[in-house]
Amino acid sequence: MSAEVSVPPARRSITASPIFGKIAASLVALFISFLLGALLVLALGESPLEVYGLLISGSLVGMPNFLVTLQMMSPLIFTGLAVAISFRAGLANIGAEGQMLVGALCAGYVGYAVELPALIHLPLCLLAAFVGGLVWALLPALLRVYLNVNEIVVCLMMNPIALLLTGYLSTRVLKAPGPTNKLPDIQPTAELSTFSLFSQANTGLIFALVLCLIFAVVNVRTMRGFEWQMIGKNAKFAYYGGVDVRRRALTVFLVSGGIAGLAGAEQVLGQYRAYYDDFSPGYGFDGIAVAMLAQFNPLAVPLAALLFGALNGGSAVLQMMTGLSKHLVQVLQFIVVLVLAAKLSWDWLKLGRSQTAAPGSDPPAEGPHVTAGDR
Amino acid sequence: MSEPAPVIEMRNVVKRFGDFTAIHDANIDLRPGEIHALVGENGAGKSTLMNVLYGLLPRSGGEVLLRGEPVDYGSPNEAIAAGIGMVPQHFKLANSFTVAENIILGSEPTRGFNRLDRRRAAEETAEISRRFGLEVQPGDVVGDLAVGLRQQVEILKTLYRKAEVLIFDEPTAVLTPQETRELFNTMRNLAAAGNTIVFITHKLGEVLAVSDRISVMKQGRIVATLDNRDVTAQQIAALMVGRSVILRVDKAPPSELGAPLLRIRDLCARGERGEVAVDNLSLDVRAGEIVGLAGVQGNGQDELVECIAGLRRRASGDIEICGKPTGRTPGDNRDLGLAYVPADRAHVGLSLESGLWENLSIGHLESFRWGPFMRTGAARKRAGELIERFDVRGGEIDKFAGSLSGGNQQKVQIARELTRPAPLIIAEQPSQGVDIGAIESIHRILVEMRDAGRAVFVISADLDEIFSISDRILVIYRGRIVADLAAEDTDQEEVGRYMGGLEDRPRDGASPERTAHVG
Amino acid sequence: MDLIEIAFSAVRVSTPLVFAAMGGLLSYQAGMLNIALDGFMIIAAFAAIATAHFTGSLELAILVAVLGATMLSALLGVFTLKLNADVFIAGIAIIFMAYGLTALLLKGILGEDGVFMSSAIPRFPTLDLPVIESIPVVGGIVSGHTLLVYIAWLLVPLVAWCLYRTRWGLRVRMVGEAPEAAAAAGVNVDSIKFQTMLLSGVLCGFGGAYLSLAYVSLFANQMTAERGLIAIAAIFFAKGHPGWTALVALLFGLATALSVRLPQVTGAAPQLLQLIPYVVTVAALIIVGFRTARSRSKHGAWKFGWN
């Protein structure tokens, strides 16, 4: 249909700011998720009230529980931030799990094998973790950016490869003496200090929060942040407009991988004090849910991580007290992702900015749905 | 001859989009065996009216009678079933499939187990093709066909579905003059066989050449229905606009020409399917002139422009912008001094899901740089000023570009590109989808740019537009420049002949000479 | 003798890949890259084991498995086609939701953490093919598999026939290449896409049931081991053609079969040998990338290679 009709300006949307729409969308997704979760719990013969009560009391009530929550949320901030900045640039780095494992191994190795003063040792370990994650993101990034291979499939392949490789190294090559499959303990100079004797929550959390702040500024106040956003919205347009799409996309992917690697450093240097084989219960995947719930906003990542960290913390209690497993949280998380992927909350509730012109004009927007990883 | 009963009558049809009335009380009747032209300017409501008839748009009022019976089509499928077919302006064909497969799609002949009956498909396709004097072969792959033949496939699609009323939406826009003549023969054959042809166009010469009756639309109203015998082009033109059809922008003759800011030598480039699209092409655009590139769509214009912009890799040849060879990316070419208004707003020129300020800032990013930081406040402020200055209706800096109408989207692109301090301006279909008032202001801006000593290169499928603003007109045919004409020394007839490849004489002295070693 | 054994097990190992690949191929041909095959399979694998455990009926188990996977595919179809969800993000969500859900149900219904085995589950019978059995080499490779293996391999010509010989197949391919043309010809594009999505679910249902009932006789969390994604790599590699896709799946299966046999021979670390299928898949993806980049660079449009 060619433009036969000139259309008067679309009516001004009287709705609130876009931020409000996004928050509402996330809340709606959470609500739907918890509702479906309750039905699921009911179907398994447990009381939803009791289960949700346990999840909350097991994570937020009382200092020890709360410290557990802080401990659980730290890696999720890193992985959530990693996923968020890649998704914002239209790249679906869902290989955070593998990148975290590799980063953790690098941190664990540098942590025990090198002897240096703390002032240098700790940053060196963090750098090693960052580089490890970055290297693990290199293959999917290069394939995506230069050869247009779907990064999701490659990332999901890189995750088990990372698990098997780190498993091989930590059980055979670098294994500490003794029955446990782990690397030797790190030097005290490489440790991230804990807040309390009773918890493994550590200064890595503060580091994570600072990182979120930094990326909040990067996203909205720097040239790179602007360019990343434009690539995510319409890469052809960004390229046309003079953005070096390939290099910027590569950078974003690698930085994302590096941040995921830092999640591993936090685990090894702050929580376990050594690299343990197969230590992750899936923080990298939880990061996808965190990023989606935060709608890729670095400032919202800690909040989303707090929520899912709390649920993860509470789920341990759940597993002990009921016939349910901790995987309930995983189901809840990915219902949230599914609902937010649909964007139905703000299209249906009309909370966002008006998206399309009136009919009869040029074919309007492509449809507001390509968020990441276009075909 | 007594007047036969109409096949279709549209009575007091109204179409509204929100508060905006696109069609006011339109009355039209279509008789069997006639070619009925529906003429009017862009935006007059021709396509909208036909889309209502075809079931693509629901009507807001009035009635449609098919052979005296009131009908109400909710979808094109119902219209197709009732014998109404549409030959769209932009073909809807699957290129890697055969002609027969494209034609039978949707009403395939089958044998047991829902198997395709390919033989019957081929036979029936060939039979219809023969009956109306068309040339396409059922087994040909659509992607290999010339544009005129693809259009025949679209026509066959409607005939295969037993259409008796065929709506042709701007069918000649993509055709060469010969292909147009063949199309007119086909239309006459179809009409002679008792079918009704609706011919949507804004080209008056074609209207007079082929139609039996003419309905003129203006601002959503059918202002007259006339017999072809009784009218002249001037009368129709007057009914369409009430003033001269050809808009000539008032402009001073070009002043002193400067250095060539765009210099292309022996450029070769391939198209989407690997075919040679640009073939040893050379041209110059100098500071202080507006050069129009005329040509039937699909003769290499798109590829040429993409090569200049840096969006397409060239196979061989040289392009210089402001005296320097072009770089690797569009960004490099922008830095050399290129401003480019692309035709594809939705995918290239704008990010529809981003705010206007973001759309207006790209390409100007360096001016907002502060170390690694970006002065977003300044960018937003400037966006607000541009929206004001270029009169982007309904523009707020945070609004999505996708929420604007086509004309206002075009203004956003123009505002962004023409405010760049770039000596070379390339405008591709600058008035596409834009209403008359805005076309004039866009053309005026381009002339101002010329007068300021910039080089302006306009690519347009619309000869009126080419003639309205160009100082010099180049014609592209099959990837080569076949004519280089001073605008005041030529006319649409002559340019049309070149566009159709009917003449291929050596170019005038002003043209860039071909280098000797080219074979 | 050993080689025949490895070939036999390659056929066995690649069977779930063939199921998943044939399912994914249909939606791929209709223009949708469905990455959630793994999710469909894990649900089916669980449903099959649980049903077999409670009823002792293999037929019923397969039926429930197919139903479960199809329901999940319908969910993905609704989200991508009706609710405008990005097919990749929704697909990721479906995969991990399915992993979590099966682990949750494993504990909630069967009361186990991680792995479930049961003596109530009947063994899947193997079939000896009457004539073929006695052909020297071929018989040893082809005969003696379970019924589902034969169904998988018979699916390949069936899918090819449907795609290239029937009205439905023409519509599927048209929808994939030129949705606008299909819509203009009165084909319901979304409906065709939804049908292929459901069929993905059905076939992955068989694949999942095969995995838990016939390949092994147990359920373990995430036991699909990325087979859905390996299937997608096979589809990419074969550009969506059924026969070639199955062949590529067979090669992947061969690599896996070797990785299972090799440790006995070489004594290498098991982790390194388990890497083989993943590494082979990534290598295949790299080849696919170079191949498409080469054909793309012929004309050089959009040379940054996006979209």
Side-chain angles (χ1 to χ4, degrees):
Chain A
M1 200 177 9
S2 66
E4 267 284 279
V5 188
S6 65
V7 173
R11 215 171 298 160
R12 189 174 297 179
S13 74
I14 44 163
T15 47
S17 70
I19 305 239
F20 174 75
K22 288 189 171 185
I23 293 174
S26 289
L27 291 179
V28 168
L30 275 179
F31 176 75
I32 292 176
S33 160
F34 278 89
L35 195 70
L36 291 177
L39 292 177
L40 190 61
V41 170
L42 213 56
L44 290 173
E46 304 275 346
S47 148
L49 280 180
E50 189 196 344
V51 165
Y52 286 140
L54 276 173
L55 280 178
I56 292 166
S57 65
S59 59
L60 297 175
V61 179
M63 199 57 188
N65 285 344
F66 185 66
L67 283 172
V68 167
T69 297
L70 289 185
Q71 170 198 335
M72 301 297 276
M73 78 182 272
S74 301
L76 298 192
I77 298 179
F78 284 109
T79 57
L81 182 64
V83 176
I85 65 166
S86 78
F87 270 46
R88 181 171 173 274
L91 298 157
N93 175 20
I94 55 167
E97 180 79 9
Q99 290 144 15
M100 177 184 68
L101 291 174
V102 173
L105 188 81
C106 292
Y109 180 74
V110 175
Y112 90 84
V114 182
E115 287 194 40
L116 282 169
L119 215 57
I120 309 174
H121 198 183
L122 180 59
L124 189 69
C125 288
L126 292 173
L127 182 69
F130 188 88
V131 171
L134 185 151
V135 166
W136 208 247
L138 195 59
L139 185 65
L142 287 173
L143 284 176
R144 171 68 176 102
V145 171
Y146 286 93
L147 298 180
N148 199 25
V149 177
N150 185 305
E151 73 276 27
I152 295 175
V153 179
V154 182
C155 280
L156 285 174
M157 288 285 122
M158 295 302 281
N159 289 333
I161 293 179
L163 184 63
L164 290 165
L165 268 186
T166 54
Y168 171 69
L169 292 173
S170 61
T171 56
R172 299 255 172 151
V173 182
L174 303 169
K175 185 174 176 301
T180 329
N181 283 329
K182 66 188 264 285
L183 264 58
D185 286 342
I186 58 169
Q187 317 274 353
T189 48
E191 286 178 2
L192 287 162
S193 52
T194 50
F195 302 136
S196 142
L197 281 177
F198 308 107
S199 156
Q200 293 168 327
N202 58 70
T203 41
L205 176 61
I206 293 166
F207 183 47
L209 293 174
V210 171
L211 212 55
C212 285
L213 268 178
I214 290 174
F215 274 95
V217 174
V218 167
N219 276 355
V220 299
R221 285 284 181 272
T222 68
M223 305 289 281
R224 289 291 176 271
F226 184 86
E227 290 173 338
W228 291 347
Q229 169 92 73
M230 287 299 107
I231 294 171
K233 291 283 187 183
N234 179 349
K236 243 178 192 177
F237 167 72
Y239 186 63
Y240 150 82
V243 178
D244 191 342
V245 172
R246 276 184 168 172
R247 280 176 58 184
R248 299 290 171 271
L250 195 62
T251 319
V252 127
F253 211 122
L254 297 183
V255 167
S256 165
I259 295 173
L262 289 177
E266 190 273 343
Q267 293 284 294
V268 169
L269 307 178
Q271 302 206 8
Y272 297 114
R273 306 291 156 102
Y275 181 87
Y276 284 79
D277 182 28
D278 200 7
F279 71 87
S280 167
Y283 293 133
F285 303 122
D286 296 344
I288 302 166
V290 170
M292 284 295 284
L293 184 62
Q295 310 224 354
F296 318 144
N297 182 344
L299 291 179
V301 162
L303 292 175
L306 176 65
L307 177 73
F308 288 139
L311 291 177
N312 276 344
S315 69
V317 182
L318 187 72
Q319 185 132 346
M320 283 184 283
M321 310 280 285
T322 69
L324 298 176
S325 84
K326 59 184 195 296
H327 292 96
L328 175 64
V329 176
Q330 188 179 349
V331 176
L332 293 179
Q333 280 176 342
F334 284 96
I335 293 175
V336 169
V337 174
L338 188 62
V339 174
L340 281 175
K343 293 194 168 180
L344 86 175
S345 18
W346 65 87
D347 283 357
W348 283 13
L349 304 176
K350 305 237 181 275
L351 288 170
R353 290 181 275 189
S354 66
Q355 304 258 350
T356 51
S361 70
D362 275 352
E366 269 289 87
H369 41 76
V370 179
T371 318
D374 18 59
R375 62 213 61 177
Chain B
M1 243 197 304
S2 69
E3 287 185 1
V7 189
I8 283 174
E9 294 171 82
M10 298 181 85
R11 294 273 163 265
N12 301 320
V13 167
V14 177
K15 176 64 199 169
R16 291 190 202 90
F17 296 108
D19 304 336
F20 175 74
T21 306
I23 306 285
H24 302 267
D25 291 328
N27 287 292
I28 192 169
D29 61 288
L30 307 173
R31 298 174 191 156
E34 75 166 345
I35 299 177
H36 194 125
L38 190 57
V39 298
E41 288 191 55
N42 280 338
K46 306 178 300 264
S47 294
T48 308
L49 182 65
M50 286 302 113
N51 284 339
V52 168
L53 174 59
Y54 191 56
L56 272 171
L57 295 171
R59 61 178 184 269
S60 317
E63 58 179 355
V64 176
L65 305 178
L66 177 72
R67 294 187 190 86
E69 299 288 315
V71 289
D72 193 6
Y73 303 130
S75 76
N77 285 348
E78 295 170 41
I80 291 168
I84 299 173
M86 172 94 83
V87 178
Q89 187 182 357
H90 304 290
F91 304 146
K92 293 174 175 168
L93 299 170
N95 286 340
S96 72
F97 290 80
T98 66
V99 168
E101 284 170 330
N102 269 286
I103 288 171
I104 61 171
L105 179 68
S107 31
E108 302 88 345
T110 52
R111 296 178 286 165
F113 300 108
N114 269 336
R115 274 175 304 163
L116 281 179
D117 194 339
R118 282 170 197 275
R119 181 157 8 122
R120 219 173 92 204
E123 280 167 4
E124 289 179 10
T125 309
E127 203 275 319
I128 304 172
S129 181
R130 246 193 329 274
R131 189 161 13 123
F132 294 100
L134 302 179
E135 302 151 23
V136 289
Q137 300 299 317
D140 291 348
V141 173
V142 167
D144 298 338
L145 298 180
V147 175
L149 292 176
R150 288 188 206 187
Q151 189 172 55
Q152 292 192 359
V153 178
E154 284 285 4
I155 297 171
L156 285 174
K157 268 165 74 174
T158 64
L159 294 174
Y160 182 80
R161 287 165 178 72
K162 311 224 175 350
E164 289 165 7
V165 178
L166 284 83
I167 305 165
F168 287 78
D169 190 359
E170 303 271 0
T172 58
V174 292
L175 298 185
T176 64
Q178 300 109 310
E179 285 173 333
T180 302
R181 270 196 301 280
E182 282 171 32
L183 171 68
F184 288 170
N185 282 333
T186 307
M187 282 163 69
R188 289 195 195 96
N189 287 343
L190 289 167
N195 296 297
T196 306
I197 308 291
V198 180
F199 175 31
I200 302 176
T201 186
H202 60 266
K203 296 181 182 170
L204 299 183
E206 296 177 351
V207 170
L208 293 174
V210 74
S211 59
D212 300 315
R213 290 195 304 156
I214 301 159
S215 290
V216 184
M217 285 195 83
K218 181 184 164 188
Q219 291 171 2
R221 292 188 167 79
I222 293 191
V223 290
T225 298
L226 311 158
D227 259 355
N228 191 358
R229 279 163 298 174
D230 311 335
V231 288
T232 63
Q234 276 66 31
Q235 285 169 317
I236 303 175
L239 285 167
M240 275 166 68
V241 280
R243 63 185 159 125
S244 163
V245 201
I246 295 177
L247 307 155
R248 281 243 187 203
V249 177
D250 288 331
K251 59 176 187 186
S255 49
E256 199 85 337
L257 289 188
L261 297 183
L262 174 65
R263 200 180 127 92
I264 299 176
R265 287 294 174 274
D266 305 321
L267 178 72
C268 292
R270 290 176 183 279
E272 224 42 54
R273 284 174 289 118
E275 78 282 10
V276 174
V278 178
D279 183 11
N280 261 314
L281 179 146
S282 300
L283 62 84
D284 282 342
V285 181
R286 291 166 175 276
E289 68 172 344
I290 299 181
V291 175
L293 183 69
V296 175
Q297 271 174 35
N299 273 287
Q301 299 97 316
D302 297 354
E303 290 83 359
L304 170 65
V305 172
E306 285 174 7
C307 282
I308 302 171
L311 294 170
R312 180 177 294 274
R313 200 179 301 166
R314 55 181 184 263
S316 64
D318 301 300
I319 304 175
E320 285 178 11
I321 293 174
C322 302
K324 296 200 188 66
T326 51
R328 201 173 49 86
T329 66
D332 296 342
N333 294 357
R334 283 174 171 266
D335 293 343
L336 292 176
L338 169 71
Y340 168 38
V341 180
D344 188 352
R345 289 191 290 265
H347 300 99
V348 181
L350 295 172
S351 170
L352 297 182
E353 280 181 70
S354 301
L356 289 186
W357 78 270
E358 290 160 309
N359 276 290
L360 285 165
S361 299
I362 213 147
H364 297 265
L365 290 180
E366 282 308 314
S367 61
F368 304 120
R369 176 185 283 282
W370 186 63
F373 296 99
M374 177 173 168
R375 294 181 295 126
T376 42
R380 295 169 64 92
K381 182 155 164 285
R382 182 177 156 280
E385 289 163 9
L386 287 182
I387 286 168
E388 188 109 332
R389 193 170 126 207
F390 284 82
D391 190 27
V392 180
R393 306 274 165 80
E396 292 162 54
I397 54 174
D398 280 318
K399 208 162 174 177
F400 281 0
S403 69
L404 297 180
S405 69
N408 283 308
Q409 290 182 358
Q410 186 71 357
K411 286 183 194 167
V412 172
Q413 286 201 103
I414 296 221
R416 179 188 62 220
E417 292 303 311
L418 300 194
T419 51
R420 297 186 69 244
L424 172 64
I425 293 162
I426 295 183
E428 206 180 353
Q429 320 291 355
S431 58
Q432 184 188 55
V434 175
D435 54 62
I436 300 264
I439 292 179
E440 277 181 355
S441 75
I442 289 168
H443 287 179
R444 212 171 41 243
I445 294 168
L446 290 173
V447 172
E448 277 167 26
M449 294 288 150
R450 178 201 72 169
D451 293 343
R454 304 202 201 180
V456 181
F457 190 33
V458 175
I459 295 89
S460 177
D462 182 356
L463 271 189
D464 290 343
E465 174 163 46
I466 294 277
F467 271 86
S468 123
I469 56 170
S470 306
D471 299 320
R472 194 153 64 86
I473 296 171
L474 302 177
V475 184
I476 189 168
Y477 176 71
R478 297 204 172 153
R480 292 163 177 267
I481 300 293
V482 293
D484 182 346
L485 311 158
E488 63 265 28
D489 300 341
T490 184
D491 53 24
Q492 298 211 6
E493 282 299 305
E494 187 186 12
V495 170
R497 285 199 300 278
Y498 283 111
M499 285 167 64
L502 299 186
E503 283 186 39
D504 193 2
R505 58 169 184 179
R507 280 156 299 170
D508 293 346
S511 69
E513 71 290 348
R514 242 194 221 169
T515 41
H517 62 270
V518 173
Chain C
M1 201 52 216
D2 243 348
L3 285 179
I4 291 176
E5 214 175 291
I6 286 174
F8 178 86
S9 97
V11 171
R12 222 170 70 85
V13 172
S14 51
T15 294
L17 291 179
V18 170
F19 274 123
M22 290 303 121
L25 183 150
L26 288 171
S27 53
Y28 176 86
Q29 288 273 9
M32 263 188 314
L33 183 56
N34 173 10
I35 60 165
L37 303 175
D38 228 41
F40 301 167
M41 284 210 284
I42 193 81
I43 287 278
F46 177 82
I49 277 290
T51 313
H53 170 68
F54 287 121
T55 65
S57 157
L58 289 174
E59 294 82 359
L60 211 56
I62 293 173
L63 184 71
V64 173
V66 168
L67 273 179
T70 310
M71 275 163 59
L72 200 63
S73 68
L75 184 69
L76 181 58
V78 166
F79 266 82
T80 54
L81 297 171
K82 294 279 173 239
L83 302 178
N84 269 341
D86 180 276
V87 68
F88 294 120
I89 298 183
I92 295 168
I94 290 282
I95 293 178
F96 290 111
M97 221 169 71
Y99 284 163
L101 189 64
T102 48
L104 179 66
L105 294 177
L106 182 65
K107 178 89 186 292
I109 296 177
L110 300 174
E112 290 284 343
D113 256 334
V115 183
F116 176 80
M117 275 180 277
S118 155
S119 54
I121 299 172
R123 292 202 64 80
F124 219 98
T126 56
L127 296 178
D128 292 325
L129 301 179
V131 183
I132 300 169
E133 187 187 11
S134 49
I135 306 174
V137 177
V138 179
I141 299 171
V142 174
S143 181
H145 291 285
T146 56
L147 179 65
L148 283 174
V149 175
Y150 299 116
I151 291 179
W153 289 96
L154 287 176
L155 264 174
V156 178
L158 181 67
V159 166
W161 182 80
C162 284
L163 273 178
Y164 297 101
R165 287 279 175 268
T166 68
R167 177 169 78 177
W168 182 79
L170 177 69
R171 290 181 176 189
V172 167
R173 290 181 297 130
M174 279 276 191
V175 163
E177 178 179 312
E180 285 170 1
V187 174
N188 187 338
V189 172
D190 278 1
S191 161
I192 293 277
K193 288 188 168 185
F194 198 74
Q195 289 165 24
T196 61
M197 181 65 90
L198 287 183
L199 283 171
S200 283
V202 171
L203 298 190
C204 287
F206 279 105
Y210 172 82
L211 211 53
S212 63
L213 290 178
Y215 186 67
V216 290
S217 197
L218 56 83
F219 178 86
N221 282 347
Q222 301 194 20
M223 70 183 293
T224 47
E226 280 80 24
R227 282 185 176 83
L229 295 150
I230 297 175
I232 287 171
I235 296 168
F236 280 162
F237 199 85
K239 296 178 182 170
H241 187 278
W244 293 114
T245 303
L247 195 67
V248 176
L250 185 63
L251 290 177
F252 285 163
L254 190 64
T256 314
L258 283 173
S259 74
V260 176
R261 295 295 154 113
L262 275 177
Q264 301 155 5
V265 187
T266 59
Q271 286 107 333
L272 293 185
L273 295 162
Q274 285 165 29
L275 277 175
I276 290 175
Y278 299 113
V279 172
V280 169
T281 307
V282 171
L285 288 170
I286 294 173
I287 294 171
V288 169
F290 275 108
R291 199 177 60 196
T292 48
R294 205 175 52 207
S295 71
R296 189 190 302 268
S297 75
K298 251 194 243 154
H299 30 93
W302 302 114
K303 55 185 174 179
F304 59 91
W306 226 263
N307 296 333

